[in-house]
Amino acid sequence: MASDPKSRLDLYALSFRLPILVWQALFFVGPLAFMLAMSFFDVKNYRMVETFELKAWERMLTRGYVWDSYFLTLGRAALAALVASLVAFPAAWLLAFRASETQRRWAIFLLVIPFFTSYLVRTFSWLVILAESGVVNAGLGAFGLGPYTMLNTGFGTLVGYLTLVLPLVLILQTVTLAHIDPRLPAAARNLGCPPGRVIWEVVLPLAKTGLVVAALFAFILSFGDFVAPYYLGGSKPPTLPILIIDTTKSGQQWPRAAVVAVMMMLTLFAIAFASIAFAYRKRASK
Amino acid sequence: MTQRNKAAPFAATRRQALKLGGAVALSAPFVGRAWASTTEINMLAWYGHGEPDIVGAFEEANNVKFVPKYYAGGDNMLGLIAQSPPGTYDVILSDAEFVQQLDAAGYIEPLDAADYPLDDMLYPDFQKFPGHWSDDTLMSMMVRFGHLGVSYNTTAVSAEEAESYACFWKPELKGKVGHFDWHLPTLGQMSLYNGNGAGLWDLDDAAWAKVQETTMSLRPQVGGFFDFGGTFNGLKNGEMLAMVGIGDWITGILEKDGAPVASVIPKEGGIQWTESYCIGKGSEKADLVKTFIQYMLSPEGQVKSAQMAAYPGNIVTKGGFELLGEVDPKEAARTHQLPGDPMNPITLIDTGRIHYRDIPRQQSLEDWNDFWSEYKNA
C-alpha cells in the first residue's frame, strides 16, 4: 500500500512515455528488424523469397566496390561534419558572445528559414549557381579566373552536404555557446590568456557536448544523404545511399540493399555511441 | 458574460460543423456517382506517357483518368510489377526486350492481333517484332521507337568526330562525358564499338571481358552518371559535352529549344529502343486499354507520340508518318521522318546500321549490373 503514490506516479509518467515508445517500436525497431531479416532473403525472378541465406551478405561483403563506396561515404560525411563545424563556429561565437539577445533570436529564426524550402529544391538551385556557365564562374570570370568545374565533383557534393547541415550545426553551436557564462572566457582574458587558448581551454571544454552533438548530426545527415552526391556529385563515385538505389533499381536486389543499409546503421550506431561517450566523458569526471 | 462570450463561438462552430456534416452526408451519393463515372486506368510507363499532352484528349473523349507510375529501365519495371498484386496495372508500356520476360512471368494478357493496324506498320519487322509474339499470339503492340548513338555538344565535337564512338575518348572531353545511368545502353554501345555488330548482345566470355575493358578505359573521361533530369540538365548547361547511352529522345527536346546538341548514329552502328504497350494481367479495364492502344496507333496518336513533351519517339505506322509530314513538317524534317531522307530511321534499320536493344544473351542482367556498379566506383 505504501507504494501506491509511487505506482500512480509511474502510471502517470508512463502515459506520457508510452506513445513515443509505441511509435519507436512500430516505426523504427520494427522496420529495422524487418530490414535485418530482409538481408537474409533471396530474390528469384525479381521477387523476394523469404528464406534464411547468407548470399546477399557474402555477395556484398566480397565486392571491392562496396567497400570503396563505404570508405568514400565515411570520409565525405566526416569531412562535411568537420567543415560544417569549423565554418559554423566563428558565426556561433559571434551570435553567442557578441550579439544581443534580440539579434540572436532573429539570427536563429533566419537560420530556420532554409528548412522551409525542400532540400531537393535548394540542391537544384546549386546546379545553376555552380555550373561552368553559372553565377560563381561568371563572378570569377570578371577577375579573369576560371571557369572551374564544381558540379559533379567531390566539392559539389560537399556544398550539397553543407546546404543540408550547416544551418542546423550553426543553431546547435549557437545555443550551446550561449549557455556558457560569458564571464568565464572574459575572466580568462583578464588573467592574460591569449584568445586562442581561451577558445581551446575554456570555451571548447565547456561546449564540448553541444559541439560534438552538432558534428554528429552533420555526420549522420551527410552519411545517409542521397541528393547531394547524386545531383551535385554526379554519382561519381557513388556513395552508399546511391549504391542502395542502384541495387534496388536494377534486379530488385532488396536483400543486397538491406545489407548495405544494415552496414550503414551499424556504422552510425558505433559512431553515435562513441561520440556521445566522448562528449560526456570528461564532463562526468569533472 | 465572459462565459457566454466564450461559449458563443463554440456554439456557432458546432452549428456550422453540423451543417457542414449534413451537407457532406447529403451530397455524398452524388459525389460518389460523379467519381464512379470516371474510370481510372493505372499505367506503368516511362516518364511522360501518362501526361496530358499524350492522354489528355483520350481521357476527355472516354471519360477516363490515367494514373501513371513511372519507371526508368526495364529491370526497374519488372521489379515494380513483381512487387504489386495482379491487376495493379491496367496498361504497361514496356521496352521491347522485356516483353518476353513479362510474358514468361505471366504479367500480361494476350492481345487479339486483329484489333491492331499491323498491316499499316512502316516496316515488316514491326509487324512481328522480336519477342512480341508467343507462337502466334500477339502479347504486346509496338507503339514507338528511337535510336541511340552519339549525343554531343556541337560546339565541342564535330559532326565527323561524332561518326564514331571513338569521340568519347577525345582528350578535350576529359571529365565532360556523361552517362545515362543504366548499364544496358552504354554496354551495348561499347560492344558495338568493339566491332560486335549484330552480335552485340551475344557475347562469349572473351568478348564480354573485352567490352568491360573498353568501358573501363572510358572511365577517366566520365563526368557523371545521371538520371533523366540530370542528363537533360548536364547537356543543357554544357557541363557534359557528350553523352553515352542516349539519343534523340533527350537531345531532341534540347535541340528544339535551340541548344547546340545533336545525336547521330555512328559508323559502328546504333541501338534501337522500342516501346510497346501491353495489357496487364487481371486488368478489369482491358477493353478500355485496348481502345487506348488503338488510339495511340491511330495517325493522331502517333503524331502525339512523335511530339511528346517528355521525349520524342519515331512513328511506327504509315498513317502516322503521312500525318506528321502534313501537320508538323518541321519535326518530321528534324527527325528525318520524310520519304527519301537518307537518315530516315527506317532506312537506318534497313541498311543494318541499327540493332534492336536486347538483354545480354550469355550473361545475366545481374552480371552486367554488377560490372556497372564496379565501373561507377572505378
Side-chain angles (χ1 to χ4, degrees), chain B residues 228-271:
Chain B
F228 181 78
T231 305
F232 205 80
N233 210 42
L235 277 172
K236 190 174 183 179
N237 63 21
E239 289 291 317
M240 294 298 121
L241 298 176
M243 198 63 85
V244 191
I246 63 162
D248 187 67
W249 71 284
I250 285 185
T251 56
I253 301 283
L254 294 169
E255 207 180 344
K256 279 195 268 188
D257 280 352
V261 293
S263 290
V264 294
I265 303 304
K267 65 183 181 201
E268 296 92 352
I271 295 170

Side-chain angles (χ1 to χ4, degrees), chain B residues 68-290:
Chain B
K69 165 86 183 166
Y70 295 128
Y71 65 81
D75 18 20
N76 184 203
M77 172 204 68
L78 280 172
L80 286 168
I81 297 177
Q83 287 152 24
S84 312
T88 300
Y89 299 109
D90 300 302
V91 57
I92 299 162
L93 180 95
S94 173
D95 287 319
E97 65 271 25
F98 287 89
V99 170
Q100 266 179 312
Q101 296 193 45
L102 286 174
D103 181 24
Y107 294 143
I108 50 176
E109 295 280 359
L111 307 176
D112 185 348
D115 289 334
Y116 304 100
L118 288 165
D119 290 341
D120 194 38
M121 299 304 263
L122 266 176
Y123 191 62
D125 268 9
F126 295 175
Q127 292 172 346
K128 203 132 192 176
F129 200 82
H132 281 37
W133 294 74
S134 175
D135 297 326
D136 285 329
T137 307
L138 180 66
M139 300 305 299
S140 184
M141 192 62 210
M142 177 181 180
V143 71
R144 65 208 301 259
F145 70 101
H147 293 157
L148 311 174
V150 172
S151 298
Y152 63 103
N153 187 309
T154 52
T155 62
V157 179
S158 70
E160 294 73 37
E161 286 171 327
E163 281 297 309
S164 169
Y165 290 115
C167 70
F168 292 141
W169 281 264
K170 190 177 161 181
E172 292 81 1
L173 295 187
K174 193 173 172 66
K176 296 286 174 191
V177 176
H179 275 294
F180 183 65
D181 195 359
W182 187 23
H183 57 87
L184 211 52
T186 289
L187 298 180
Q189 291 189 339
M190 295 297 110
S191 182
L192 282 173
Y193 181 56
N194 278 1
N196 291 317
L200 76 162
W201 310 108
D202 194 9
L203 306 174
D204 60 21
D205 288 350
W208 169 229
K210 185 87 178 94
V211 166
Q212 293 178 70
E213 191 187 311
T214 305
T215 312
M216 276 296 181
S217 72
L218 183 62
R219 189 62 181 78
Q221 296 288 97
V222 174
F225 298 82
F226 307 99
D227 63 0
F228 181 78
T231 305
F232 205 80
N233 210 42
L235 277 172
K236 190 174 183 179
N237 63 21
E239 289 291 317
M240 294 298 121
L241 298 176
M243 198 63 85
V244 191
I246 63 162
D248 187 67
W249 71 284
I250 285 185
T251 56
I253 301 283
L254 294 169
E255 207 180 344
K256 279 195 268 188
D257 280 352
V261 293
S263 290
V264 294
I265 303 304
K267 65 183 181 201
E268 296 92 352
I271 295 170
Q272 176 168 315
W273 57 265
T274 311
E275 290 177 347
S276 310
Y277 272 122
C278 312
I279 298 179
K281 191 81 170 178
S283 167
E284 290 168 1
K285 298 140 197 169
D287 280 343
L288 262 175
V289 175
K290 180 187 80 180

